[in-house]
Amino acid sequence: MIKLAPRVVRLWWDAHSIAGVLAGLLLHVIFLAGALALFVREAAPWEQPALRLEGAKVPADLDRVVKGWEQARGHPLPGYFNLFFGDAWQAGVKATWGERVSGSYVRHAVLLDADDGALRAVMADRGPIEFMVRLHCLDFFPGGIYLSGALGMIMLVAVATGLAIYLRRWWTDFYRLREARSRRIAWTDVHNVVGLLTLPFQTVLAFTGVFIAWSFFIYGSLAISGFGGDFTALRAKLRPEEVELKAAGTPASALPWNTLLERARAAVPQMKVEYLYVHHYGDANATVTIGGTTPRVMFKSGAVSLRMRDGAVLGVIDTVDPPLAQWLLNAMAVLHFGTFGGWLLDAIYVGLSALTCLVCLSGLILWVEVRRTRHPAGPPRWHAWFERASLGAAAGLFPATALLFATWHLLPAPLSARMPQAESVFFGAWIAATLATLPGKDLRRSVRTLLWIAVGIAAAVPIGNGIGTGGWLGTVPLAASAVDLAALGAALLGALMLGRHPPGKKA
Amino acid sequence: MSASAQQEPRERIGWSRGVAGIVGGLPPALGLGLIIARWGTLGLVLGALAIIPLWVAAMMAAWIAPKPWQAWAGVGLATLVAACGWGVFRL
């Protein structure tokens, strides 16, 4: 093993602590929100009572479905729209499209019957989990997605420097959890052991996260360097299965939908079709991208692009044997969103995200503890404020999140306009919780109180759902109770953990 | 980090070396990524993927330079080499 000079270790340790203290709190927010954002499909029936329906199946006759939708609309279909086939969480075919209304872009979504295309429900595009997606992307800051990319870079620096300085003695330190010693030693061991345990997860998530968040800059530099600034040419090279022709401006009829599906299945026989993206519908150059996955194949996304008037195959990516370049690109998204292993992998991602939050928070605690030992006469006042504000905000995120879900069905606004009220509840609770920890002398007690409040509110999530929608546990399909059950599980786990470490214990 | 090591006089990265790594580390990483990207479709993807880890590596290298000016000189030289390589591959 390479032996590093002590000054190199010290400098990288310096970089590690600066990176951690700069980004620790926001990374905690990003990982917690990201863990919840994984369940955007599963939470929909809980969020929207109109979607608590039985009868999920893949449409046998897509022509009938689209015709039924067109009849239900009463006017022609939009130029751009997407169709998503159902699964256990979605009882029908979901159709989405957007339109410009007085300068702003409005998204629409409806759930169609998988047999005849009849309208089953109008879907709201906003809900608590979608809020978590936006929080994960730091959408509430101007340029938030780029800021989240920058935080991912900082995390990569922290991971790389942490690994470099820790590798020398990981074998011995990995088995050390000295809980009974000083607070600083206990948190050091937690930080090292949990950090090493979650290192591959953190590296993959941070790397893929930066790649996705900064894709505009990365692809922009490639387009400028090799394609004279032509993004379309670059896209055609990287994503041949997503070809979109320029509109011809002349109307033309398309082949039947079932024929287009057959062509797609013939081009990629193993693919289980999951979605259709339609461009310039009704135009002579209308195209459709038909995509899906192949069960039991890693990084299994595949797609076919077809011209709708004659079914000509414009581009194809096979699911089983894709070119290495497309396989790698697929891997970036699939690894980040954890879509390659079903619900069990999602559960593992949640566990690893929770541990990553622990690494971020233990790093913040250590940063303060190390500086406390350097000032025997007492640390500077701003250290105490920093510790209280950062740990208060980190702990305050839990009751605020629990309150968001517990009050979602109790807010007075109709479902489609409820999100501004829910955002006020979340941010109001978070700010109040953070401020409540600032004046207190015993920070540990304040944090424990906040966590106990979060446990209590999480346990009340099913009550909020029952009162607001009548969807009491056991009276609605299991899919509609998924969030209730998850909240109860989180509350139970939180209570057990808090009960295991009563205030009298040292660490 | 052991307690004894922390009690020694601490050498810090400092602003100059820090900025040299963050700002100066990007151009050589980007240059090398763009050179790799000249090599077909797979090169495009590998070049795009390489930029991020190369940048992290350039930062870590610059931060341990003995003197701040050496950090700037190092990233400057690496940028020059990457720029020349990029120019050659575009010819």
Side-chain angles (χ1 to χ4, degrees):
Chain A
M1 187 177 291
I2 300 167
K3 195 167 165 54
L4 297 170
R7 70 171 289 276
V8 171
V9 173
R10 266 197 299 276
L11 285 166
W12 280 346
W13 197 79
D14 209 20
H16 182 79
S17 60
I18 291 169
V21 84
L22 272 180
L25 177 60
L26 282 176
L27 284 172
H28 164 66
V29 175
I30 285 175
F31 271 89
L32 189 77
L36 297 175
L38 289 171
F39 302 98
V40 71
R41 279 171 75 84
E42 288 84 345
W46 180 89
E47 291 175 338
Q48 302 181 44
L51 302 182
R52 293 173 185 178
L53 304 164
E54 302 281 6
K57 58 182 166 185
V58 173
D61 184 352
L62 191 59
D63 284 294
R64 201 170 158 218
V65 172
V66 177
K67 198 174 173 190
W69 180 33
E70 198 164 9
Q71 282 173 352
R73 275 171 61 88
H75 52 278
L77 297 180
Y80 280 76
F81 62 89
N82 308 319
L83 297 173
F84 300 93
F85 291 176
D87 58 14
W89 306 96
Q90 182 188 300
V93 177
K94 181 180 172 184
T96 65
W97 72 100
E99 61 181 347
R100 291 237 163 248
V101 178
S102 56
S104 59
Y105 189 76
V106 181
R107 292 184 295 172
H108 300 281
V110 291
L111 190 68
L112 307 170
D113 188 280
D115 286 325
D116 58 11
L119 187 67
R120 296 200 82 183
V122 176
M123 301 171 81
D125 65 340
R126 293 276 156 103
I129 296 289
E130 185 271 346
F131 173 82
M132 286 295 148
V133 174
R134 285 186 290 140
L135 190 64
H136 177 70
C137 300
L138 302 181
D139 228 9
F140 301 96
F141 295 101
I145 188 73
Y146 305 122
L147 175 62
S148 64
L151 289 162
M153 268 306 284
I154 296 174
M155 184 168 199
L156 279 177
V157 168
V159 166
T161 49
L163 188 65
I165 57 183
Y166 186 64
L167 257 184
R168 298 166 302 151
R169 48 172 207 269
W170 75 273
W171 184 248
T172 49
D173 280 13
F174 188 63
Y175 299 98
R176 281 204 302 190
L177 269 173
R178 294 162 292 179
E179 200 181 354
R181 301 280 288 276
S182 75
R183 187 172 139 96
R184 184 182 150 190
I185 289 174
W187 280 115
T188 303
D189 289 350
V190 167
H191 189 72
N192 290 348
V193 172
V194 180
L196 196 63
L197 205 63
T198 52
L199 187 90
F201 175 75
Q202 288 173 20
T203 310
V204 168
L205 268 284
F207 178 66
T208 53
V210 177
F211 191 79
I212 292 166
W214 282 358
S215 57
F216 177 74
F217 300 123
I218 292 170
Y219 290 133
S221 64
L222 295 179
I224 291 166
S225 166
F227 293 84
D230 186 356
F231 270 88
T232 313
L234 173 70
R235 190 178 168 79
K237 192 104 173 155
L238 290 174
R239 287 289 186 197
E241 79 280 22
E242 291 180 8
V243 175
E244 179 188 334
L245 299 175
K246 201 172 173 187
T250 51
S253 59
L255 287 182
W257 290 94
N258 292 333
T259 309
L260 292 168
L261 275 179
E262 279 168 25
R263 296 264 169 101
R265 286 181 179 128
V268 190
Q270 302 86 355
M271 180 170 71
K272 176 175 160 259
V273 173
E274 292 174 351
Y275 64 84
L276 294 91
Y277 299 154
V278 181
H279 316 114
H280 305 300
Y281 185 64
D283 188 89
N285 272 349
T287 55
V288 57
T289 300
I290 300 176
T293 57
T294 300
R296 295 182 295 281
V297 176
M298 190 75 168
F299 307 142
K300 51 204 173 184
S301 311
V304 186
S305 186
L306 301 165
R307 192 164 52 204
M308 293 187 76
R309 72 164 189 265
D310 57 6
V313 175
L314 304 174
V316 56
I317 291 296
D318 194 354
T319 50
V320 175
D321 191 21
L324 185 56
Q326 275 73 28
W327 187 88
L328 281 169
L329 277 182
N330 279 344
M332 287 294 105
V334 169
L335 282 171
H336 192 80
F337 301 117
T339 52
F340 60 98
W343 67 268
L344 186 61
L345 186 84
D346 287 345
I348 292 170
Y349 264 45
V350 169
L352 290 171
S353 297
L355 290 175
T356 303
C357 290
L358 183 61
V359 174
C360 295
L361 299 183
S362 58
L364 282 174
I365 294 169
L366 274 176
W367 193 86
V368 176
E369 286 295 320
V370 167
R371 273 141 196 87
R372 212 191 294 276
T373 57
R374 285 190 198 151
H375 299 90
R381 186 178 289 179
W382 75 270
H383 279 185
W385 277 95
F386 172 79
E387 186 180 28
R388 279 184 208 154
S390 57
L391 294 182
L397 186 62
F398 294 102
T401 304
L403 199 63
L404 174 75
F405 285 92
T407 57
W408 174 248
H409 292 298
L410 302 174
L411 295 171
L415 196 72
S416 57
R418 197 173 287 170
M419 192 35 83
Q421 290 181 353
E423 285 174 9
S424 303
V425 167
F426 175 83
F427 286 115
W430 194 10
I431 291 167
T434 307
L435 292 177
T437 58
L438 291 180
K441 294 216 164 163
D442 190 344
L443 179 61
R444 287 187 63 210
R445 196 183 179 87
S446 304
V447 167
R448 284 181 63 83
T449 306
L450 284 178
L451 295 179
W452 272 117
I453 291 171
V455 164
I457 299 173
V461 168
I463 300 170
N465 183 21
I467 293 172
T469 69
W472 296 95
L473 273 171
T475 64
V476 287
L478 195 62
S481 300
V483 174
D484 291 343
L485 293 170
L488 284 177
L492 187 65
L493 188 67
L496 284 173
M497 289 173 73
L498 287 167
R500 234 180 91 79
H501 290 281
K505 277 203 172 182
K506 211 166 185 180
Chain B
M1 169 89 10
S2 65
S4 60
Q6 281 175 36
Q7 282 157 11
E8 292 168 20
R10 285 178 59 81
E11 185 185 5
R12 301 238 174 234
I13 290 175
W15 283 106
S16 187
R17 264 195 299 225
V19 174
I22 296 166
V23 178
L26 180 58
L30 194 61
L32 204 52
L34 294 180
I35 290 170
I36 299 169
R38 306 294 301 174
W39 176 46
T41 308
L42 182 59
L44 268 176
V45 175
L46 292 177
L49 293 176
I51 293 168
I52 298 163
L54 283 171
W55 192 13
V56 173
M59 281 185 215
M60 287 177 68
W63 289 337
I64 58 170
K67 299 282 178 198
W69 70 265
Q70 288 166 320
W72 284 105
V75 293
L77 193 64
T79 303
L80 199 63
V81 171
C84 291
W86 184 66
V88 168
F89 276 90
R90 278 181 71 88
L91 286 176

